Amino acid sequence: MMNFIVKRVISCVFTLLVIITASFFTVRLAPGSPFTSERDVPPEVIQNLKIKYGLDKPLPVQFVQYMGNLLQGDLGLSTKYPRTVNEIIKISLPKTLQLGLVAVIWALLIGITAGVIAAIRQNTVLDFTAMAIAMIGISVPSFVLGPLMILFFSLYLYIFPVGGWGSFQHMILPGITLGTVYAAYIARLTRAGMLEVVRADFIRTAKAKGLKESYIIWKHAMKGGLIPTITYLGPAIASMMTGGVVVEKIFNTPGIGPYFVDAAFNRDYFLIMGIVIVYSTFLLLMNLLVDVLYGVLDPRIRYE
Amino acid sequence: MKKTPNATILSFVLASTLLLACNSNKQQQYLGTTKPKHPANVAWINNSTEPQHIDPQLSTGVPDGEIVRNIFARLTQIHPKTGLPVPDLAERWEISADGTEYTFFLRKNVWSDGHPLTAHDLEYGWKRLLNPVMGAEYASLAYDVKNSEPYNRQALFVEGLSEKLPIEDVTKIFAEVVPVASVSVSEEPKGYFVYVDPGKDGNADELRQKAIKHFHNMDFSGQTLSIKITDYSVVQAKAIDDLIFKVKLNGPLPYFLYLVEFPAFAPTPEHIIEKMIKKVGLNNQEMWTRAENLVCSGPYCLTEEKFRQYKIFTKNSTYWDAKKVRLDQIKMLSIESYTTTMYFYQTGEIDWIGNGGQVPSEYINYVKHFKDYSNDPYLGIYYYGLNITRKPLDDVRVRKALSLSIDRKAITDLIGADRLPYASMVPDGLAGYKGLNLPIFDLEKAKQYLSDAGFPGGKGFPNLKIMYNTTELHKQIAEAIQQMWKKNLGINIELQNKEWKIYLDDMTAKNYDIVRRGWIGDFPDPFTFLDTMQSFSGNNRTGWKNTQYDQLLKNANMESDLVKRIDILREAEIIAMDEQAFVPLFVYTSPYFKKPYLKGFWPNIQNHHEWRFWWIDERFYHGVPTETIEDLPNMTIEGN
């Protein structure tokens, strides 16, 4: 197992390097520059701005400089905000992670519970209801669900704030909005996985032995039944934890999500790169974790 | 404002949600709560986004200006009711007879840390504004100050050549060594400014060094030449002593006192900034604007901030008129989404949707009946630019046909917010200007023009494209005009929706046929609009050139008789509108929501509502009062 992990880590680092290199050159291919503005600015001033951010140098030189700074943990200066990219990510990412955590907890709680109930009560009202709600959850996009949640819980019932950040209450509505679509997918995947497992011989044996149903589900069925869900969880958690752009905009959450789009619009090269690195690292780590979890959950899976 | 993906669907859903909320309040007079959620010495507002810069010299957009205006005082301020410039940091001023020299006499001020604020800080701020290394986007606003443009654009300053030498000869002398873009004369100090031309890929700095190496100390007709890159020493904006600041202009600018009110002209604390540069370097000097480092000169100062969450501004007791400032604290949020802003407003989390915030067009008909809704005229024109370097737009008859066949009233009815349909560039009544009152729709004439141009009924007219940047409003207008031209002229027009930076790039490169434009005036004078159409203006972007027009604008800014000046500007606008490279559509308005308990607001064409005049009507804590209170600006007026 250790060999496997080491090999995967090396592969992740290599993948990250490829992503960084490709992104570095790709973002600079986009028309427009960080300094393009509606108001005419003299070319001499633009030139000085380019010098300030090191953008006057040839591209390969810029790349080498960037990689050198990156190795020292320096992600550069934002061209839009008077802050370093490190600072922006340091301020914004924790909020996105907190929001993502609420979304993950919501998605797992609701999704797994609904999926398990639907599986063990297959073809009953409970099953149909759970899957119908899951289908609605998948179909309703976050930019519909979010405003509806605000309308109902904030503007009518005054239970939660309309948005912003600062307390646990501020995380509830955006967390639920963000996590609901994933909860729906998790419910359906859990149901499918559990259905496969509950029909297995070893479950029949456990039942024949007279074990309680809840014990059988929890101790024997869940491990195998959750394999499809675990496969999905890697990218899903990465996606939730790196923030929903739309959700953060709707609820005015000061996370990293909006930068994903805004940095591209502003041609804020260094901020784009910083976010790409954060997202990629997260995604790679989550996929690695998922692969390791397979081995833990299913002893039949072994790694050389 | 930028929109997230799926903007159409998002807008519809968000609009519907808010409309549901609004319609349930149909019986109410106000949108949402009317009882303040905060104490009476505080206001909560939105600023539409995290500001890009609150360093006055680097500040650009409306969110930046909203903050800078209130934390950094300038020489003048604009009276909120009369709209006239009145003293602020300067307690009085003298203007020379020809209107080109201004001497400002500063009152004794201090920064918020107690350090004296002197005329040297003013000079320091103006130097930073024009310093090419700073990259200040608004440096060009100062170009009417003598010798400021050459400094900002790093022209070579040449001394030693005869004053009688024609500019063409000076150009020839230098062109033998380096490519020359232009040459201009310096009257004080005597000399010439030479601008090198690096072309598209050349290195301007190398060219300057080459010219200096070649010409410096050269003997020329018995004179030794001195060449250097222009520095601030030649710029005619100087501190004479601690309390006197003198400015010499290229011509008598009647709007100069409005101009110096602009945030970019604020003094900045040299003692703080230089210390910061030593600590963190030139590139990171903006750290001086962090709450823990900042010192201010205005009625408020930033004392606490959480990036992209909120900012707290506390009353600055060292401001010279602090005793008239009523609120102790302003809390500012950075909500970008229009609809989220409205949610916050409804629940009383903000008292004003902010200067950069606007009520979305699709809501207006549903919300304008609320008493806390306001819609003020705004200093901005929405227009289309026509690329006259492309056929058939090079034919003025085609341009006139396109303009006259647009039913501007139908456009403004469609988009709501009571915008004013308009067919010329300068709003009527601006600083005493009488608008041209051009027809906003004349279909018969339009058809005639098109027929005269060789396209009767639109036959043979090529498919042109309207280019606009991605927002719902621009799309709505473009679609309406596309249909109008099809129906009225029989021509087919395609729509091109482009992302902001690509739109800007293509517009600058003139890679378009017809482009959506807009211009918000920097100061309340017709020149701010007419300037955009000058042949050499980078804001023109249509290819239209007219030397007579340029000369008229130049003459206007040399004319000290205000009535004559307005006539000259009007004459210039007639030429521009006659040649129709610009197709104005309407004058902007500024629809906004403000809580009834937040007082100190008066209609303002730039939507500037200074915090120093605000106060909370405490009667609203106990219900909506039936009587109104007279609201007058609480300020000390002195001087001129």
Side-chain angles (χ1 to χ4, degrees), chain B residues 382 384 468-469 471-479 516:
Chain B
Y382 191 104
Y384 275 6
Y468 60 92
N469 55 303
T471 75
E472 276 311 298
L473 181 71
H474 303 325
K475 181 175 177 240
Q476 223 181 349
I477 294 169
E479 283 174 347
R516 182 300 295 173

Side-chain angles (χ1 to χ4, degrees), chain B residues 198-232:
Chain B
K200 207 176 167 205
D201 298 314
N203 188 316
D205 203 46
E206 278 177 11
L207 292 174
R208 289 182 204 113
Q209 296 306 325
K210 188 179 176 187
I212 292 171
K213 198 173 171 191
H214 185 90
F215 289 104
H216 188 63
N217 288 332
M218 178 189 268
D219 183 73
F220 193 88
S221 304
Q223 294 283 333
T224 308
L225 295 187
S226 162
I227 318 268
K228 62 176 178 178
I229 297 176
T230 308
D231 57 35
Y232 190 80

Side-chain angles (χ1 to χ4, degrees), chain A residues 250-266:
Chain A
I250 291 170
F251 291 92
N252 198 48
T253 307
I256 206 170
Y259 291 120
F260 199 43
V261 175
D262 290 349
F265 279 135
N266 295 322

Side-chain angles (χ1 to χ4, degrees), chain B residues 347-385:
Chain B
T347 53
E349 296 296 324
I350 53 175
D351 304 325
W352 177 46
I353 66 170
N355 190 350
Q358 287 218 349
V359 182
S361 302
E362 53 269 31
Y363 299 175
I364 287 176
N365 287 335
Y366 297 95
V367 299
K368 63 185 189 181
H369 64 280
F370 287 113
K371 279 183 164 179
D372 45 345
Y373 170 82
S374 296
N375 194 13
D376 297 341
Y378 194 61
L379 191 66
I381 297 277
Y382 191 104
Y383 63 99
Y384 275 6

Side-chain angles (χ1 to χ4, degrees), chain B residues 3 50 180 234 245 463 506 513 554:
Chain B
K3 292 256 180 174
E50 179 69 22
V180 173
V234 305
F245 188 68
N463 286 2
D506 281 350
D513 297 322
K554 199 173 172 186

Side-chain angles (χ1 to χ4, degrees), chain A residues 66-179:
Chain A
Y66 182 77
M67 293 307 285
N69 290 337
L70 190 61
L71 284 171
Q72 296 172 66
D74 179 5
L75 292 168
L77 264 179
S78 165
T79 50
K80 164 92 175 169
Y81 302 105
R83 290 176 190 263
T84 61
V85 174
N86 288 49
E87 196 180 352
I88 291 173
I89 291 177
K90 189 176 161 194
I91 294 171
S92 310
L93 188 59
K95 297 174 178 76
T96 295
L97 291 177
Q98 285 170 59
L99 180 63
L101 191 61
V102 172
V104 166
I105 292 171
W106 170 260
L108 287 174
L109 255 174
I110 301 299
I112 292 176
T113 308
V116 166
I117 291 173
I120 60 178
R121 295 286 178 265
Q122 192 191 6
N123 295 329
T124 64
V125 169
L126 274 174
D127 179 20
F128 298 140
T129 309
M131 288 303 105
I133 294 174
M135 185 52 72
I136 294 170
I138 291 169
S139 313
V140 176
S142 55
F143 58 78
V144 173
L145 184 60
L148 288 174
M149 303 274 277
I150 291 173
L151 182 68
F152 191 65
F153 291 105
S154 304
L155 298 177
Y156 279 159
L157 296 180
Y158 304 107
I159 298 176
F160 295 108
V162 290
W165 196 256
S167 70
F168 181 66
Q169 271 202 312
H170 287 98
M171 298 185 210
I172 304 291
L173 289 188
I176 291 175
T177 305
L178 185 58

Side-chain angles (χ1 to χ4, degrees), chain A residues 38-39 80 249-250 267, chain B residues 52 336 340 499 522 541:
Chain A
E38 191 166 19
R39 172 173 286 272
K80 164 92 175 169
K249 280 254 183 198
I250 291 170
R267 306 294 189 274
Chain B
Q52 201 173 342
E336 290 192 1
T340 309
E499 181 261 334
D522 295 316
R541 294 165 172 149

Side-chain angles (χ1 to χ4, degrees), chain A residues 183-202:
Chain A
Y185 278 114
I186 288 169
R188 293 182 68 83
L189 287 167
T190 304
R191 179 184 181 273
M194 290 295 289
L195 280 176
E196 207 183 298
V197 165
V198 296
R199 291 187 191 114
D201 288 343
F202 70 93

